[in-house]
Amino acid sequence: MKTTLKTLMILALAVSLNTELQAQGIKIPQASSAQTITQSFGLGKINVSYSRPNTKGRKVFGGMEPFDKVWRTGANSATSITFSDPVKIGGQELAAGTYGLFTIPGKDEWTVIFNKDSKQWGAYEYKEAEDVLRIKVKPIKLKEKVETFTIQFANVYPTTAQLQLSWENTGLNIDLSTEIDAQVMASIDEAMKGEKKPYFAAAQYYFENGKDLNKALEWINAAEAADQKAPWVRLWKGRIQLKKGDKAGAIASAEAGIKLATEAKVDEYVRLNSALLAEAKK
């Protein structure tokens, strides 16, 4: 009950101060600014909502945020993170849903926690029994000081990414991954049964993901037949041909792509097809 009472008192104070300021027509900025970030990942999205405290000259970890104590991973309300699709965190599976993102800072190792309770003030009501996933992560010593606590996504690829935490001179990289191949392949198979077939996108996916290049070439040829003035189609056809070992075919496709892009005044595809041509001529 002590923890519950403490939480209620803090919330009551916050509401009281806010009500008083509103009554007086006063607007002031939050000491710790709120931020919500959204990252596309795999076939879905990840949303993070948190508040961003500043160091203000204080020692953070091992100081105002003690080691080996559960931290809300921000300020004010506990940080929340929502996954639209299942993911793997540090190699461990986590179902789609919204979680409270808590951490236990340590001098040499942090514990990153995904908890069922995403709607609480601070970590006063945190219960280990409601943890869904815990992983251990080694902190990184940052060269430059980060004044404002920051959560961001980095090294984002179709099926892997990093959720990065940084504050003061400490950084944390949390590895994320997702499985999408079976879903994509199934959606391609289903779409190919329809009247409007996604030849271009399907050929790209096959090329990028080590699938059947003969099928990719068949589909890119169909895309070319449907739009003979598209320099991007010639670019991808050339890439597929080069990957198959057909240098002559790749050269012809790149040259055609340069011509079409020049006529259409699309400089980007002049450049990309020129790069492909140079690679095919090596």
Side-chain angles (χ1 to χ4, degrees):
M1 291 297 294
K2 288 182 180 178
T3 304
T4 302
L5 181 59
K6 184 176 182 181
T7 303
L8 290 174
M9 290 175 65
I10 292 170
L11 285 171
L13 177 60
V15 170
S16 175
L17 288 173
N18 188 53
T19 301
E20 182 180 348
L21 288 172
Q22 286 184 351
Q24 295 175 0
I26 299 172
K27 290 184 179 181
I28 62 172
Q30 291 290 321
S32 298
S33 61
Q35 183 178 66
T36 297
I37 56 174
T38 300
Q39 176 63 56
S40 296
F41 186 54
L43 301 178
K45 293 182 184 297
I46 305 173
N47 293 298
V48 179
S49 293
Y50 72 114
S51 292
R52 310 181 65 195
N54 293 308
T55 66
K56 297 179 180 178
R58 301 169 293 182
K59 177 175 174 54
V60 177
F61 301 114
M64 60 179 284
E65 298 299 340
F67 289 135
D68 305 320
K69 297 288 185 181
V70 175
W71 179 42
R72 72 187 84 184
T73 319
N76 302 326
S77 296
T79 294
S80 69
I81 184 165
T82 301
F83 301 95
S84 65
D85 295 341
V87 296
K88 286 186 178 180
I89 312 289
Q92 298 187 49
E93 294 184 1
L94 184 66
T98 299
Y99 302 93
L101 177 61
F102 296 92
T103 48
I104 302 176
K107 187 176 181 181
D108 300 312
E109 186 175 66
W110 282 43
T111 301
V112 179
I113 303 166
F114 296 85
N115 185 275
K116 290 179 183 177
D117 190 353
S118 64
K119 296 180 179 179
Q120 60 177 287
W121 184 268
Y124 302 110
E125 297 297 321
Y126 164 80
K127 295 180 180 64
E128 185 174 343
E130 295 188 344
D131 288 352
V132 177
L133 177 66
R134 282 185 168 214
I135 63 167
K136 301 288 188 180
V137 180
K138 298 289 185 183
I140 299 167
K141 179 78 171 177
L142 301 176
K143 293 180 180 178
E144 295 185 9
K145 180 182 175 181
V146 177
E147 170 63 23
T148 306
F149 175 59
T150 300
I151 297 179
Q152 64 183 12
F153 292 91
N155 304 315
V156 181
Y157 294 92
T159 59
T160 61
Q162 285 183 327
L163 179 65
Q164 295 185 335
L165 314 182
S166 56
W167 198 17
E168 198 182 26
N169 292 105
T170 300
L172 213 66
N173 293 334
I174 303 166
D175 292 328
L176 312 177
S177 63
T178 186
E179 300 289 340
I180 64 170
D181 187 63
Q183 291 173 267
V184 174
M185 293 295 284
S187 67
I188 290 174
D189 289 343
E190 187 61 30
M192 287 300 177
K193 297 175 185 177
E195 184 178 340
K196 236 182 149 179
K197 297 176 171 55
Y199 291 123
F200 183 62
Q204 282 183 304
Y205 187 81
Y206 267 49
F207 173 85
E208 294 280 18
N209 292 277
K211 305 297 182 181
D212 184 349
L213 288 176
N214 291 323
K215 178 62 73 174
L217 184 59
E218 176 188 328
W219 284 337
I220 204 69
N221 282 334
E224 181 184 6
D227 189 352
Q228 297 184 15
K229 292 187 177 181
W232 44 89
V233 174
R234 301 302 174 96
L235 172 69
W236 282 90
K237 179 176 179 177
R239 286 174 173 173
I240 293 168
Q241 289 169 316
L242 186 58
K243 198 170 184 178
K244 281 174 57 65
D246 180 7
K247 287 193 172 186
I251 289 170
S253 292
E255 289 176 339
I258 292 168
K259 183 175 183 295
L260 289 170
T262 301
E263 290 172 352
K265 297 181 180 179
V266 184
D267 293 342
E268 179 184 3
Y269 282 94
V270 172
R271 176 177 56 80
L272 290 173
N273 276 288
S274 296
L276 173 62
L277 180 61
E279 185 179 358
K281 285 183 174 181
K282 287 180 181 177

